[in-house]
Amino acid sequence: MKVQRAAWCFVAPALLAIGVFFFLPVAAALAMSLTDFDIYALADIGNLRFVGLRNYLELLQTPLFWRALGNTFYFVIVGVPLSIAASLGAALLLNSRVTVLKGLFRTVYFAPVVTSLVAVAVIWRYVLHTRYGMLNYALSWFGLEPVDWLGDPDWAMPAIILFAVWKNFGYNMIILLAGLQSIPHDLYEAAGLDGAGAWAKFRWVTWPMLGPTLLMVSILSMSGYFQLFAEPYVMTQGGPVQSTVSVLYFMYEQGFKWWNLGVASAVAFVLFAIMFTITLLQLRVARGLDA
């Protein structure tokens, strides 16, 4: 009993902080999503009314919400595989014995992760500028016409995906590099003795041994990319013609532009349900592959 009491004393401060700063706000947001909490309720709590699931039903009838959901899925479906591929490629290069200046390249690749998103977004706006941007200048070398990267609805989301992949791939690279360095070299030596080449070693040694790390990276990347907000907020403000409005951007506008806090809370829980479901599917698929 004394040991258990001491253990509870040690974990009590952490549990208290989690309860106050996580579970309590989540419970409050869930309750708010069942009300018509708006600017009038802020002025007078007596104006607050319980509406049940009306906010959720209204979301299903809002075209902009479905547009935002489609944009977010587009961002996740394209951005997550590109980010993981870039991270894995960089990790393999840094893990190679022939690579020199590994510390320098690790720092360079990871630097965008710890750089202010707003600062680099401003720089990327100049890189993607239609007339003076470096990217269009490079395209002109091949005789290609300039592209209005942030002003064309067909190119705005790919431009944001390119920026997000560049900004975030370094974080996954560090995790994958740690996974690669944990693979015993004896396995590669045994595969080499059996006549395996570089591709065979990757296919039959690296890929299976890296499976749990890749699963974790894919879940983290999916969760992060579903929460797309800062990139369109800084670079396009959701435009052009709402082609880069994400679910989180839609939630921000509902909550802090139109002060429909009840609707904004409902959006948050819908997004949570989607992310939770997809995470469960990822775990089930991973278990099926291991079986």
Side-chain angles (χ1 to χ4, degrees):
M1 290 296 295
K2 291 182 178 180
V3 175
Q4 292 181 352
R5 192 178 297 112
W8 279 110
C9 289
F10 279 113
V11 301
L15 292 177
L16 181 62
I18 293 173
V20 171
F21 296 105
F22 180 75
F23 287 108
L24 187 60
V26 168
L30 180 59
M32 190 182 297
S33 71
L34 303 176
T35 67
D36 63 346
F37 198 102
D38 54 15
I39 193 170
Y40 299 105
L42 284 173
D44 183 1
I45 197 65
N47 295 323
L48 183 66
R49 295 177 302 170
F50 177 80
V51 297
L53 299 177
R54 193 184 73 181
N55 290 331
Y56 295 90
L57 295 176
E58 287 183 355
L59 281 180
L60 301 180
Q61 301 172 4
T62 304
L64 183 56
F65 172 73
W66 289 106
R67 178 68 181 271
L69 190 62
N71 292 338
T72 303
F73 269 103
Y74 174 30
F75 182 75
V76 171
I77 292 171
V78 178
V80 170
L82 285 177
S83 180
I84 294 177
S87 303
L88 182 58
L92 289 171
L93 288 175
L94 290 176
N95 194 55
S96 175
R97 294 181 178 180
V98 300
T99 303
V100 296
L101 301 176
K102 293 183 180 181
L104 174 63
F105 285 110
R106 256 198 312 263
T107 303
V108 170
Y109 291 155
F110 190 74
V113 178
V114 296
T115 306
S116 169
L117 188 144
V118 176
V120 294
V122 171
I123 295 174
W124 269 77
R125 289 188 67 177
Y126 284 104
V127 172
L128 299 171
H129 195 276
T130 307
R131 295 184 59 187
Y132 309 110
M134 294 176 58
L135 189 54
N136 279 335
Y137 181 69
L139 292 177
S140 67
W141 295 349
F142 302 96
L144 300 176
E145 294 293 326
V147 177
D148 188 3
W149 296 102
L150 300 178
D152 189 333
D154 295 328
W155 287 107
M157 186 58 79
I160 288 180
I161 291 174
L162 179 64
F163 167 64
V165 169
W166 172 86
K167 179 74 172 64
N168 299 308
F169 87 95
Y171 181 80
N172 292 334
M173 178 200 70
I174 296 297
I175 299 176
L176 291 172
L177 182 59
L180 288 171
Q181 292 176 346
S182 68
I183 300 175
H185 288 286
D186 296 346
L187 298 177
Y188 293 107
E189 293 176 358
L193 292 175
D194 289 337
W199 170 251
K201 290 179 181 179
F202 175 80
R203 172 66 181 85
W204 301 108
V205 179
T206 304
W207 188 260
M209 295 296 292
L210 207 58
T213 307
L214 283 170
L215 175 62
M216 182 184 69
V217 165
S218 66
I219 292 175
L220 291 175
S221 299
M222 183 274 298
S223 300
Y225 275 64
F226 259 115
Q227 300 176 62
L228 171 68
F229 171 72
E231 291 86 349
Y233 179 77
V234 175
M235 299 182 71
T236 61
Q237 291 76 50
V241 293
Q242 301 171 341
S243 61
T244 59
V245 173
S246 65
V247 174
L248 232 60
Y249 192 93
F250 176 78
M251 182 185 72
Y252 164 79
E253 287 200 326
Q254 288 295 319
F256 298 101
K257 184 177 181 180
W258 309 116
W259 292 101
N260 295 323
L261 298 176
V263 175
S265 300
V267 174
F269 282 95
V270 170
L271 182 61
F272 166 76
I274 294 172
M275 294 169 58
F276 184 74
T277 302
I278 294 178
T279 301
L280 289 180
L281 289 175
Q282 287 179 290
L283 293 173
R284 179 167 293 184
V285 170
R287 289 171 183 171
L289 294 175
D290 292 338

